[in-house]
Amino acid sequence: MSRSKPDGRGAKAGKAPGGYERGLSLLARREHSARELERKLTAKGHAPEESGAAVEQLRSRHYQDDSRFAASLARRRADQGYGPRRIHAELKSHGLADAMIREAVSTLEADWTELASDQLRRRHGRRSAGDATERAARAAFLLRRGFDPATVRAVTRAEVDDPGEEFD
């Protein structure tokens, strides 16, 4: 006996789920950007048209929301000790608009200087940098984690040049 899902969209028991059901399953685990969700559905064997339609249906029902995804990922990365430049670059890689990215990063209410100091303490303990070479190494570490040069200079007291848009 085959059964349909209660909403009438589902595949019969024993058949592979459709794009909508698979997308909903992915979103039940964590937030995904529309681009990421579409890519995953296509990689799982769904036609690009089906993947796009599934993502649009999920968006229309507010199951998928890029601004909610951006806020969630930004918060998670800040909690992991990454700086605003790194967070911005990662959100950009998900195909999000710059305005949405700026909004997500600005709502974090993070003290970037304190966060950078915490990362240095976790990496190097409480001992101070012995010489200019060690200060430069610590500064490079913080720059790789996505902190801006002004924050890195304040925390390490190292001479730091602005690396530009390293994460773009």
Side-chain angles (χ1 to χ4, degrees):
M1 171 172 126
S2 64
R3 298 185 316 190
S4 293
K5 297 210 179 215
D7 61 7
R9 287 187 320 272
K12 296 186 190 242
K15 290 204 172 189
Y20 177 86
E21 290 82 9
R22 188 159 290 181
L24 192 58
S25 176
L26 288 167
L27 289 169
R29 292 182 189 105
R30 70 166 176 87
E31 295 284 347
H32 288 73
S33 69
R35 177 193 278 180
E36 176 184 29
L37 195 56
E38 200 167 327
R39 182 186 52 76
K40 283 186 174 186
L41 291 174
T42 303
K44 288 287 187 180
H46 298 282
E49 300 80 30
E50 180 187 7
S51 298
V55 170
E56 282 307 312
Q57 191 174 13
L58 291 163
R59 284 179 113 160
S60 71
R61 294 174 183 218
H62 304 287
Y63 295 138
Q64 192 285 323
D65 183 301
D66 278 343
S67 63
R68 193 172 58 222
F69 166 77
S72 171
L73 183 63
R75 195 173 35 258
R76 196 165 57 244
R77 293 301 183 247
D79 289 346
Q80 292 171 339
Y82 290 102
R85 284 183 164 195
R86 175 81 175 258
I87 294 168
H88 185 281
E90 186 170 355
L91 290 171
K92 187 89 168 152
S93 76
H94 284 278
L96 303 178
D98 282 335
M100 188 180 298
I101 294 170
R102 281 191 301 276
E103 175 70 21
V105 173
S106 70
T107 60
L108 288 174
E109 299 177 10
D111 181 345
W112 298 113
T113 303
E114 184 60 33
L115 188 58
S117 295
D118 288 346
Q119 288 304 303
L120 276 183
R121 276 192 295 279
R122 289 181 71 189
R123 176 92 174 214
H124 298 284
R126 295 206 175 268
R127 65 180 176 77
S128 61
D131 59 3
T133 304
E134 188 167 345
R135 281 194 305 277
R138 289 177 182 204
F141 165 71
L142 291 175
L143 288 170
R144 283 191 306 275
R145 295 220 35 115
F147 292 97
D148 62 82
T151 301
V152 173
R153 272 191 294 275
V155 172
T156 63
R157 291 166 185 65
E159 292 300 316
V160 179
D161 292 329
D162 190 340
E165 299 300 319
E166 175 183 336
F167 294 105
D168 283 345

